[in-house]
Amino acid sequence: MYLDRFRLDGKIALITGGNRGIGLATARAMAEAGARCMLSARSETDDSRALVAEGHAFTAGDITDPATPDALVAATLEEFGRLDILVNNAGVADGGAFHDFDDDRLARIMDTNLIAPFRVARAAVRPMLAQGAGSIVNIGSISGFVANKPQLQVAYNSSKAAIHQMTTVMAFEYAGRGIRVNALAPGYIRTRMAEGGMDHPEMSKVWADNTPMGRFGTPEEMASCALFLASDAASYVTGATLVADGGYITH
């Protein structure tokens, strides 16, 4: 009975940034749980093509293009006829001293990490309202809670804090209309976004030393969290930000 609540049989999931890392791992987890997935990213990878070969779908798009969010949802509805789950995963990271952080870099961070997820969620909510049910998982970060070290990244951290707040207020707005909205805040995870720091001996040591569990997480561990939040196992959970960071923000 309880394990069945983690199943997603008959559900349709749209996953942005679904061609690698946390997005791809989440698509695999949801597919294993019975969902059919629409993956989206700028381009396909061999791994995303493998999922498509198993009966899922892929649509390419630049998430920062204002037309893309509506197009992604439209493609999902055309392919599968409905949309039950959105995993708002696409994002970028950039850092540098605050006083030197120029407007172009600021715009890239905010357009990708905040404005685009806002637009995707806005587009996804509409069919969810029509069917009276849905689940949205926004991918935030521990960076939305803390100042990371040794890297300097005011813009990135601000964008992720905004995602957490967006999640809270969306959850409040739609809780009575059948739509749950939660966020996942990963710590340091072995993805392409973090691999530069993890390959750097000094930075890697600082990150690991500040993680009480003493290791980095994996995309698969984050996918398990996203699966929980999207599934009926979390049916009474909305407005939550689940931190999965090996204890990083405990001190």
Side-chain angles (χ1 to χ4, degrees):
M1 171 184 173
Y2 290 104
L3 290 179
D4 289 344
R5 295 181 65 77
F6 289 89
R7 296 292 306 173
L8 299 177
D9 299 294
K11 302 292 187 182
I12 304 301
L14 168 61
I15 302 165
T16 66
N19 62 346
R20 57 173 59 88
I22 292 173
L24 179 65
T26 297
R28 286 171 169 161
M30 291 187 173
E32 187 174 324
R36 298 186 71 188
C37 301
M38 172 65 80
L39 285 65
S40 176
R42 290 175 184 268
S43 61
E44 284 192 274
T45 62
D46 288 343
D47 289 327
S48 62
R49 290 189 191 95
L51 265 179
V52 171
E54 296 172 9
H56 305 279
F58 180 91
T59 184
D62 176 358
I63 203 73
T64 64
D65 182 338
T68 295
D70 286 331
L72 296 183
V73 171
T76 304
L77 296 175
E78 181 177 355
E79 180 75 21
F80 298 114
R82 60 183 293 120
L83 174 58
D84 303 288
I85 297 163
L86 167 65
V87 181
N88 235 339
N89 169 70
V92 295
D94 193 6
F98 179 77
H99 59 277
D100 289 328
F101 208 82
D102 63 53
D103 283 349
D104 288 342
R105 295 166 71 195
L106 175 62
R108 176 173 177 264
I109 287 286
M110 293 302 175
D111 285 350
T112 307
N113 291 359
L114 175 59
I115 304 303
F118 184 105
R119 288 173 175 151
V120 175
R122 182 179 62 190
V125 161
R126 293 167 184 152
M128 291 179 180
L129 284 172
Q131 64 201 29
S135 179
I136 295 173
V137 181
N138 296 315
I139 305 301
S141 171
I142 58 166
S143 299
F145 294 107
V146 300
N148 303 80
K149 59 180 182 180
Q151 70 273 32
L152 306 173
Q153 47 188 44
V154 173
Y156 176 79
N157 290 39
S158 298
S159 72
K160 290 302 185 178
I163 286 293
H164 298 166
Q165 181 65 0
M166 184 181 86
T167 297
T168 300
V169 181
M170 285 183 65
F172 174 80
E173 185 168 347
Y174 294 109
R177 305 182 72 177
I179 301 172
R180 295 186 302 104
V181 187
N182 293 290
L184 172 61
Y188 288 101
I189 310 302
R190 290 193 177 278
T191 64
R192 192 176 73 168
M193 184 181 292
E195 67 186 3
M198 291 178 181
D199 290 341
H200 189 284
E202 293 180 7
M203 185 172 288
S204 180
K205 184 178 188 305
V206 171
W207 291 356
D209 286 350
N210 281 277
T211 302
M213 289 183 69
R215 67 173 179 86
F216 303 126
T218 68
E220 291 73 23
E221 288 175 311
M222 299 305 103
S224 296
C225 296
L227 174 61
F228 162 68
L229 291 173
S231 74
D232 285 344
S235 58
Y236 198 56
V237 180
T238 197
T241 296
L242 173 58
V243 176
D245 68 346
Y248 187 96
I249 69 169
T250 58
H251 63 94

